[in-house]
PDB file of all heavy atoms in Angstrom:
ATOM      1  N   MET A1300      -1.455  50.148  -6.543  1.00 74.00           N
ATOM      2  CA  MET A1300      -1.123  49.299  -7.662  1.00 74.00           C
ATOM      3  C   MET A1300      -0.947  50.106  -8.911  1.00 74.00           C
ATOM      4  O   MET A1300      -0.216  49.741  -9.792  1.00 74.00           O
ATOM      5  CB  MET A1300      -2.081  48.127  -7.876  1.00 74.00           C
ATOM      6  CG  MET A1300      -1.903  47.157  -6.798  1.00 74.00           C
ATOM      7  SD  MET A1300      -2.980  45.871  -7.172  1.00 74.00           S
ATOM      8  CE  MET A1300      -2.253  45.052  -8.537  1.00 74.00           C
ATOM      9  N   MET A1301      -1.805  51.115  -9.053  1.00 71.00           N
ATOM     10  CA  MET A1301      -1.800  51.816 -10.269  1.00 71.00           C
ATOM     11  C   MET A1301      -0.965  53.096 -10.398  1.00 71.00           C
ATOM     12  O   MET A1301      -0.566  53.682 -11.525  1.00 71.00           O
ATOM     13  CB  MET A1301      -3.112  52.269 -10.679  1.00 71.00           C
ATOM     14  CG  MET A1301      -4.124  51.171 -10.752  1.00 71.00           C
ATOM     15  SD  MET A1301      -3.676  50.061 -12.149  1.00 71.00           S
ATOM     16  CE  MET A1301      -4.045  48.462 -11.467  1.00 71.00           C
ATOM     17  N   ALA A1302      -0.611  53.668  -9.266  1.00 66.00           N
ATOM     18  CA  ALA A1302       0.239  54.797  -9.330  1.00 66.00           C
ATOM     19  C   ALA A1302       1.590  54.496  -9.871  1.00 66.00           C
ATOM     20  O   ALA A1302       2.133  53.357  -9.600  1.00 66.00           O
ATOM     21  CB  ALA A1302       0.394  55.327  -7.863  1.00 66.00           C
ATOM     22  N   PRO A1303       2.403  55.343 -10.557  1.00 66.00           N
ATOM     23  CA  PRO A1303       2.009  56.739 -10.741  1.00 66.00           C
ATOM     24  C   PRO A1303       1.058  56.930 -12.018  1.00 66.00           C
ATOM     25  O   PRO A1303       0.677  58.072 -12.361  1.00 66.00           O
ATOM     26  CB  PRO A1303       3.287  57.451 -10.925  1.00 66.00           C
ATOM     27  CG  PRO A1303       4.214  56.427 -11.459  1.00 66.00           C
ATOM     28  CD  PRO A1303       3.567  55.085 -10.988  1.00 66.00           C
ATOM     29  N   ALA A1304       0.806  55.912 -12.776  1.00 67.00           N
ATOM     30  CA  ALA A1304       0.185  56.010 -14.060  1.00 67.00           C
ATOM     31  C   ALA A1304      -1.350  56.597 -13.788  1.00 67.00           C
ATOM     32  O   ALA A1304      -1.685  57.579 -14.532  1.00 67.00           O
ATOM     33  CB  ALA A1304      -0.153  54.660 -14.715  1.00 67.00           C
ATOM     34  N   LEU A1305      -2.004  56.342 -12.646  1.00 67.00           N
ATOM     35  CA  LEU A1305      -3.311  56.845 -12.523  1.00 67.00           C
ATOM     36  C   LEU A1305      -3.188  58.114 -11.950  1.00 67.00           C
ATOM     37  O   LEU A1305      -3.978  59.078 -12.229  1.00 67.00           O
ATOM     38  CB  LEU A1305      -3.916  55.904 -11.389  1.00 67.00           C
ATOM     39  CG  LEU A1305      -5.552  56.054 -11.449  1.00 67.00           C
ATOM     40  CD1 LEU A1305      -6.130  55.766 -12.767  1.00 67.00           C
ATOM     41  CD2 LEU A1305      -6.048  54.999 -10.406  1.00 67.00           C
ATOM     42  N   ALA A1306      -2.038  58.498 -11.175  1.00 66.00           N
ATOM     43  CA  ALA A1306      -1.734  59.818 -10.693  1.00 66.00           C
ATOM     44  C   ALA A1306      -1.677  60.786 -11.802  1.00 66.00           C
ATOM     45  O   ALA A1306      -1.991  61.946 -11.677  1.00 66.00           O
ATOM     46  CB  ALA A1306      -0.573  59.676  -9.830  1.00 66.00           C
ATOM     47  N   GLU A1307      -1.186  60.344 -12.895  1.00 67.00           N
ATOM     48  CA  GLU A1307      -1.047  61.378 -13.933  1.00 67.00           C
ATOM     49  C   GLU A1307      -2.404  61.785 -14.578  1.00 67.00           C
ATOM     50  O   GLU A1307      -2.415  62.866 -15.272  1.00 67.00           O
ATOM     51  CB  GLU A1307      -0.073  60.590 -15.203  1.00 67.00           C
ATOM     52  CG  GLU A1307       1.184  60.308 -14.860  1.00 67.00           C
ATOM     53  CD  GLU A1307       1.755  59.382 -15.854  1.00 67.00           C
ATOM     54  OE1 GLU A1307       1.212  59.082 -16.873  1.00 67.00           O
ATOM     55  OE2 GLU A1307       2.908  58.906 -15.746  1.00 67.00           O
ATOM     56  N   CYS A1308      -3.364  61.095 -14.350  1.00 64.00           N
ATOM     57  CA  CYS A1308      -4.706  61.449 -14.976  1.00 64.00           C
ATOM     58  C   CYS A1308      -5.757  61.610 -13.931  1.00 64.00           C
ATOM     59  O   CYS A1308      -6.975  61.508 -14.405  1.00 64.00           O
ATOM     60  CB  CYS A1308      -5.071  60.499 -16.044  1.00 64.00           C
ATOM     61  SG  CYS A1308      -5.370  58.633 -15.485  1.00 64.00           S
ATOM     62  N   SER A1309      -5.481  61.607 -12.665  1.00 66.00           N
ATOM     63  CA  SER A1309      -6.592  61.631 -11.803  1.00 66.00           C
ATOM     64  C   SER A1309      -6.293  62.464 -10.626  1.00 66.00           C
ATOM     65  O   SER A1309      -5.140  62.803 -10.279  1.00 66.00           O
ATOM     66  CB  SER A1309      -6.756  60.153 -11.261  1.00 66.00           C
ATOM     67  OG  SER A1309      -7.151  59.319 -12.385  1.00 66.00           O
ATOM     68  N   THR A1310      -7.359  62.946  -9.911  1.00 66.00           N
ATOM     69  CA  THR A1310      -7.307  63.638  -8.508  1.00 66.00           C
ATOM     70  C   THR A1310      -8.020  62.642  -7.683  1.00 66.00           C
ATOM     71  O   THR A1310      -9.048  62.253  -7.898  1.00 66.00           O
ATOM     72  CB  THR A1310      -7.821  64.966  -8.671  1.00 66.00           C
ATOM     73  OG1 THR A1310      -7.219  65.760  -9.622  1.00 66.00           O
ATOM     74  CG2 THR A1310      -7.690  65.673  -7.346  1.00 66.00           C
ATOM     75  N   LEU A1311      -7.386  62.441  -6.508  1.00 68.00           N
ATOM     76  CA  LEU A1311      -8.026  61.500  -5.483  1.00 68.00           C
ATOM     77  C   LEU A1311      -8.442  62.255  -4.381  1.00 68.00           C
ATOM     78  O   LEU A1311      -7.593  62.945  -3.702  1.00 68.00           O
ATOM     79  CB  LEU A1311      -6.985  60.432  -5.150  1.00 68.00           C
ATOM     80  CG  LEU A1311      -7.352  59.675  -3.848  1.00 68.00           C
ATOM     81  CD1 LEU A1311      -8.582  58.787  -4.273  1.00 68.00           C
ATOM     82  CD2 LEU A1311      -6.229  58.772  -3.318  1.00 68.00           C
ATOM     83  N   TYR A1312      -9.717  62.135  -3.993  1.00 67.00           N
ATOM     84  CA  TYR A1312     -10.170  62.665  -2.748  1.00 67.00           C
ATOM     85  C   TYR A1312     -10.342  61.568  -1.835  1.00 67.00           C
ATOM     86  O   TYR A1312     -11.041  60.453  -2.171  1.00 67.00           O
ATOM     87  CB  TYR A1312     -11.522  63.343  -2.943  1.00 67.00           C
ATOM     88  CG  TYR A1312     -11.623  64.729  -3.627  1.00 67.00           C
ATOM     89  CD1 TYR A1312     -11.713  64.686  -4.935  1.00 67.00           C
ATOM     90  CD2 TYR A1312     -11.220  65.958  -2.859  1.00 67.00           C
ATOM     91  CE1 TYR A1312     -11.690  66.006  -5.640  1.00 67.00           C
ATOM     92  CE2 TYR A1312     -11.309  67.057  -3.515  1.00 67.00           C
ATOM     93  CZ  TYR A1312     -11.378  67.248  -4.778  1.00 67.00           C
ATOM     94  OH  TYR A1312     -11.478  68.369  -5.527  1.00 67.00           O
ATOM     95  N   ALA A1313      -9.734  61.379  -0.764  1.00 65.00           N
ATOM     96  CA  ALA A1313      -9.842  60.419   0.151  1.00 65.00           C
ATOM     97  C   ALA A1313     -10.438  60.841   1.427  1.00 65.00           C
ATOM     98  O   ALA A1313      -9.792  61.744   2.071  1.00 65.00           O
ATOM     99  CB  ALA A1313      -8.461  59.771   0.419  1.00 65.00           C
TER     100      ALA A1313
END
Side-chain angles (χ1 to χ4, degrees):
Chain A
M1300 283 185 74
M1301 297 301 145
L1305 202 55
E1307 294 170 0
C1308 62
S1309 301
T1310 303
L1311 168 69
Y1312 287 94

